Amino acid sequence: MPKLGVNIDHVATLRQARGGMEPDPLEAALMCEKAGCDSIVAHLREDRRHINDKDVIGLRKRIKTKFNLEMSMNPEIVDIALKIGPDQITLVPERRQELTTEGGLSVVRYEKKLFRIAASFNNKGIDVSVFIDPDKSEIRSAIYIGIGIIEIHTGNYSLALDKKSRAKEFKKIKDSAEYAMSKGLIVNAGHGLNYTNVKQIANIKGINELNIGHSIISKAVFAGLKNAVTEMKKLIN
Ligand code: PXP
C-alpha cells in the first residue's frame, strides 16, 4: 500500500491571506499525523509566499513521521535546509510567477549542480528526492548522479480532460515508475491527485508514496465547515 504524504502549504496560504497567525500549518501537520498520514510535505519557496522559515523550524521540531522539505536549488534555501535538517528534501523547479510547481525538474540539464547538492544532503544523512516528469532520460540521469528517490509529476495526468489523454498520461507514469523501480529507485508520485484520480496511481505496484495537498485541504474545508458554524452560533447565543 502506498504511503501518504500531506502537503500543508495550502494552510499557510490561507494564513498569509490575512497576514496573521491562523490557520497554523504546524497545527495542521500534527492533525494530519494523528489522522494517519506517513509524512508531512512543505515547500519553502524563495518568495516565502506560504511556508516561512519559522514554520520550517517548528515542523522540524514537532513532526514525528517524516518531514519532507520541498525546495528549489537556490543557494539560500539549500543553506537553510542543511541547517534545519529535514528527513528528506524534494528538489523541484521554481518560478516566481507560477501559481504552483508547473513541471518536473530537469535532472539531465542540472546534473552537475544536482550531484553537488545531493551529496551535501546525503553527507548529513538527509534523503534526496527529485521531482521529475515521467521521462526515462530523467530517470537515467538521476541514477547516474546517485539519487535514490524520485517523485513522478502527475500534473498532466490530473489535468487530462478526456479518457484518451488521461490513459496516455497514465501509461507514461506507469512505464516510468516500473522502469525506475526495476533500477532500484524508490518511486513516489504527486501533483494534482484528488479523490477521483488517486486510485489508478495508487494501484501502480510498488509505488512508495503519494504526496497530496490541494485536494485534501479543499475537502477539509467542507468536512469542517458545519462544525465551525455550529460552534460560532453557540458562542453568539
Ligand atoms: N509534490 C510536489 C513536488 C509538489 O510541488 C506539490 C505541490 O506543492 C505536490 C506534490 C502536491 O500537489 P497538490 O497540492 O496538487 O496535491
Side-chain angles (χ1 to χ4, degrees), residues 7 9-10 43 70 90 92 100-101 131 151 190-193 211-215:
N7 182 316
D9 295 348
H10 310 278
H43 185 170
E70 212 184 284
T90 299
V92 300
T100 180
T101 312
F131 181 61
E151 178 176 336
H191 212 281
L193 295 178
N211 292 318
I212 307 178
H214 191 260
S215 68

Side-chain angles (χ1 to χ4, degrees), residues 5-7 9-10 41-43 45 50 68 70-71 90-93 100-103 130-132 151-155 158 189-194 210-217:
V6 181
N7 182 316
D9 295 348
H10 310 278
V41 187
H43 185 170
R45 280 186 164 267
H50 39 56
N68 177 3
E70 212 184 284
M71 53 182 271
T90 299
L91 291 159
V92 300
T100 180
T101 312
E102 285 170 345
V130 281
F131 181 61
I132 57 170
E151 178 176 336
I152 297 179
H153 177 225
T154 52
S158 304
H191 212 281
L193 295 178
N194 60 35
L210 303 179
N211 292 318
I212 307 178
H214 191 260
S215 68
I216 293 179
I217 303 305

Side-chain angles (χ1 to χ4, degrees), residues 32-157:
C32 294
E33 286 193 322
K34 255 194 184 164
C37 80
D38 302 284
S39 65
I40 298 295
V41 187
H43 185 170
L44 185 66
R45 280 186 164 267
E46 290 160 28
D47 62 7
R48 312 295 199 274
R49 70 169 74 151
H50 39 56
I51 293 291
N52 60 36
D53 303 51
K54 193 166 159 245
D55 293 327
V56 173
I57 293 167
L59 290 165
R60 172 61 299 174
K61 276 195 190 136
R62 303 282 304 279
I63 284 175
K64 297 231 162 51
T65 54
K66 178 180 85 176
F67 180 23
N68 177 3
L69 183 67
E70 212 184 284
M71 53 182 271
S72 71
M73 296 184 288
N74 175 291
E76 185 214 354
I77 303 287
V78 168
D79 280 350
I80 293 171
L82 282 168
K83 272 190 204 115
I84 282 165
D87 301 293
Q88 181 186 310
I89 59 157
T90 299
L91 291 159
V92 300
E94 195 174 301
R95 281 198 317 119
R96 296 238 166 169
Q97 303 87 337
E98 69 191 1
L99 288 176
T100 180
T101 312
E102 285 170 345
L105 182 66
S106 176
V107 186
V108 174
R109 183 165 171 198
Y110 296 109
E111 230 168 40
K112 272 194 189 148
K113 196 171 173 183
L114 278 167
F115 174 77
R116 266 189 282 114
I117 293 174
S120 62
F121 282 92
N122 286 152
N123 286 343
K124 289 201 149 205
I126 300 166
D127 290 332
V128 177
S129 166
V130 281
F131 181 61
I132 57 170
D133 289 328
D135 178 331
K136 285 189 187 165
S137 57
E138 296 296 345
I139 295 168
R140 279 193 285 269
S141 237
I143 295 167
Y144 179 65
I145 59 171
I147 287 180
I149 310 172
I150 59 166
E151 178 176 336
I152 297 179
H153 177 225
T154 52
N156 292 338
Y157 159 82

Side-chain angles (χ1 to χ4, degrees), residues 154 157-159 166 170 191-202 212 215:
T154 52
Y157 159 82
S158 304
L159 289 173
R166 186 168 308 115
F170 176 70
H191 212 281
L193 295 178
N194 60 35
Y195 291 82
T196 50
N197 65 22
V198 72
K199 272 194 183 171
Q200 197 177 23
I201 300 292
I212 307 178
S215 68

